[in-house]
Amino acid sequence: MQEVIEITVNSTSVAAEKGKSLLRAILKAKLPIATSCGGQGSCHLCRLTVQQSDQELSPPNEIEIKALGNVCIQSGMRLACQIMVHAPLTVDVPPLRKKRKKR
Ligand code: FES
């Protein structure tokens, strides 16, 4: 049976499967988060900020470094699809951007 870890996304508690991606947990909870690549690491839309983690997260991988740059990473920004959940954590997901109306 899959171990479940409680994470907090924009003040909402979400059950995440241990070892699975943070993006998967957020989407499964039907919370809004931008994605167009389905977690492949190519759209760079699933940005969020890690506020707190009960366990040190794995360091950003090459995909995150390329997508976010060192300044954003140092401020706690990560890609949800690249973080595997292993311990409780708290994240802030930015609001979805509204689509521009075509003129
Ligand atoms: S979902 Fe596309 S990069 Fe994370």
Side-chain angles (χ1 to χ4, degrees):
M1 190 171 155
Q2 189 70 45
E3 188 177 339
V4 174
I5 295 172
E6 187 176 313
I7 60 173
T8 305
V9 180
N10 295 353
S11 303
T12 300
S13 290
V14 171
E17 294 174 60
K18 186 175 184 176
K20 303 291 184 180
S21 80
L22 181 54
L23 177 69
R24 177 186 168 114
I26 294 170
L27 291 174
K28 210 169 174 182
K30 300 190 184 327
L31 295 176
I33 186 166
T35 175
S36 68
C37 73
Q40 299 302 305
S42 59
C43 72
H44 306 167
L45 294 174
C46 63
R47 297 168 184 223
L48 50 71
T49 303
V50 177
Q51 298 296 340
Q52 183 189 336
S53 177
D54 284 9
Q55 181 180 315
E56 194 168 328
L57 294 174
S58 58
N61 62 24
E62 283 184 33
I63 292 170
E64 292 179 283
I65 293 169
K66 186 177 172 188
L68 303 171
N70 286 332
V71 173
C72 289
I73 287 172
Q74 285 175 1
S75 67
M77 195 174 280
R78 301 288 299 263
L79 294 179
C81 67
Q82 301 300 305
I83 296 176
M84 299 304 141
V85 178
H86 292 285
L89 69 157
T90 301
V91 298
D92 284 341
V93 178
L96 295 177
R97 288 188 190 166
K98 292 181 181 173
K99 289 183 180 174
R100 289 186 180 173
K101 292 181 182 175
K102 290 186 178 177
R103 294 183 184 189

